[in-house]
Structures are given as C-alpha cells and as structure tokens.
Amino acid sequence: MSTSTLVPQRESAAGAIPFDSYARLPEEECLSRIAAAKAKLGKRVVILGHHYQQDHVFQFADFSGDSLKLSRNAAQSEAEYIVFLGVHFMAEVADILSRPEQISILPDLSAGCSMADMATLPKVNRCWRELAEVLNPDEEVTPVTYINSAADLKAFCGEHGGIVCTSSNAGRILDWSFARRGKVLFFPDQHLGRNTGYRMGIPLERMVLWDPDQPMGGLTAEQIKQAKIILWKGFCSVHQMFTPQQITAWRAKHPNGKVISHPESSFEVCQLSDYVGSTEYIIKTVADSAPGTEWLVGTELNLVNRLANQFKAEGKTVQFMATTVCMCSTMARIDPQHLCWVMENLAAGHVVNRITVPEREAELARVALQRMLDAS
Ligand code: 13P
Ligand code: SF4
C-alpha cells in the first residue's frame, strides 16, 4: 500500500511529547521555541520550504524552492533530519532520494495534495491493462508521472520504463519519453501535460483525456491509437480557479502589464499569459523584470503575496489573478504549532511524523526520479 494513502494525522514515537499541549500554543511563543530548537539541533536538521508555504513557517526554511529544486536539496543534504514544509509527496521524495540513515519528517501528516490523490495505483494499473487491449503499452507508451503523485505511482513509472517530471522540466521529460516510445501516458495533471505537449507542437486533437472512472477512460480504440499523449483527468483545485476572464479584465486596466501563470492552470489561461512556468521560474521572471513592471500572477496566494512585498521597493506591482482567496489549504496545515512540536521532539531525541516509503517501492521510484534528475 502506498504511504500516501490514509495516514493518521499525528504519529508519535514512544516517549515523544504529545501534540496536544501544542495545539493552543500562541504563535509568537511557537516561533521563538522553533528558533531555539533549531539552534540546538544545528546542522543535524535541514528545513526545506516550498514557495507556497505560509510566511510564519517559511521563514525557518534553510532552503526554499520549487519541487525540482527541493528534491535536489533533499538528495544532497547531509543532515540527519529533513523537515519538509510542504506536502506529503515532497516528504516522500526526500525519503526516497536521501540516504537510508536520514529521516524525512512532515510536521502534519494531513498535509496532502488533492491533485496527487486523483491518480491511484489501482486506477493506473487498470488504465495500463485497458490500454493493453488496444496497443502494447510496455513498448508503445512511456508513463510519466508529475512529481505531485504518491510514491507507488513513481514506482510504477520506474518499473514500466517511465519517468517523473516537475513543472520546470516537463518539456525535457516529454522529449526524453518520446525518444523512447511513441506515446505518453501523463498523470495526474491534465493541464501540465496539455500545456507542455502543445508548446512542443502536439495538436490538441492528439492529446486525449483519460477519465479513470469510465471503462477505457471513456475513449474509443481509435482515439487511443491516434493519440500522442493520454492525459489523466486530474487537476489542481487552486490553479483551476484562474480564468481567461480574469486576465482580459486585468489587461483592460493594465494594457502594458505582463501576465505569468503556473502550467497547472488551464490551457485557456496559459494561452492568454505572456509567460508560463514553475514557481521558481515565476520568481526569477518577476525578479528580472524592469522596475515599474505590472504583473498579474496565476499561482498560489502565499507566493504571490511574498512577491508583491519583495518587489514593492523596486516599483513593481504584483497582483493575484483570482478575485477570491485561493491558497493551497493542505500546505497551510504545516503551521507553527506543528513545526514547534516536531522540532522540540527532535531536540529532545524523539522522531515524530517520519515519512517512510517501503524499500521495494522506494527502489523503483528512485529509478524514475533518477531518470528525471539525469534528464533535467
Ligand atoms: P512547482 O513547485 O514545480 O512550481 O509546482 C507547484 C506545485 O503545485 C507544487 O505542488
Ligand atoms: Fe497540490 Fe495544488 Fe497544493 Fe500544489 S497547489 S500541492 S498541486 S493542491
């Protein structure tokens, strides 16, 4: 069973300090206690923070980045403990890529990713079996999983000649895949797959949507045979909030402004954007722009607010694309109380909320992740 499927919200090692006493701890007190525990642990701990994380915990990150950068940080880290300010699949990647004696920790085990949950191993196995009724998938289809997926799906890709991608290397990974087999099965994010395929020159009609809840994905044998990319019907609930109307309304008021979006956004939004790329790309593009530039940004709110504050002094204005608040609510579960609880336990010699991927699964997932690191 995947370690990403239902897990208890808090898992305490024997002798560990229970979470209950932290639940109502005032934020200010948590912050000073986290700093003290971090200082006590020194180089024994490294804290990795994804760009979508809220500032109150993000400030403790030793390294921040997008999914690709953080997976490299995890692989290169020398620390005994890797504490992930991110979501479950990121802590799994840290466990897979780090040495066996290193320990990966997710401060709140309920910090999952709703998109990752849209593809499961039984459903992908069924898809592979159904594709075998029409073609020979192990010779004709490269399975590509977005890093936003459970470890068992990365293992599936490792086992079937496939690979992992992130939003910053998806184009290169599709090149790698097509150099080996004529078709790609891309899961779980249809939008990253479609946006990347289209940029590579694949017409929309050769990218079909596989609905895992329908027999044969809801497709005919002919549709499958003519497809270059079979896209899994998954999406990010945060990025699907962005719409073409939000862009056109903003452009009417800011005719010289620039629009930049994350490729988890819809095809229509990406087509209307001036730039499309991962969180790391978005930060770099805004940072490199001329003073006075106006930006409309289609990605998670915490990152957009951070950019707005960071570049205000340079006269750049950075505005969030959606008209309503849309944050990654699961990532937000990593709050100061949980971080304080994890850090004080580590400082007292107790590991809580360790993320462990079973060895056989990790071995195969590592194959797919290593292919990605080598190809990007
Ligand atoms: P990146 O970190 O690759 O930009 O992806 C964003 C995301 O949704 C992480 O879950
Ligand atoms: Fe998952 Fe979307 Fe949150 Fe990224 S922003 S972790 S894809 S739910």
Side-chain angles (χ1 to χ4, degrees), residues 50 52 66-67 89-90 146 148 166-167 239 262 264 278-279:
H50 190 272
Y52 293 164
D66 63 2
S67 308
F89 73 81
M90 297 178 185
Y146 190 18
N148 298 34
T166 74
S167 60
H239 290 86
H262 194 280
E264 287 174 12
S278 75
T279 50

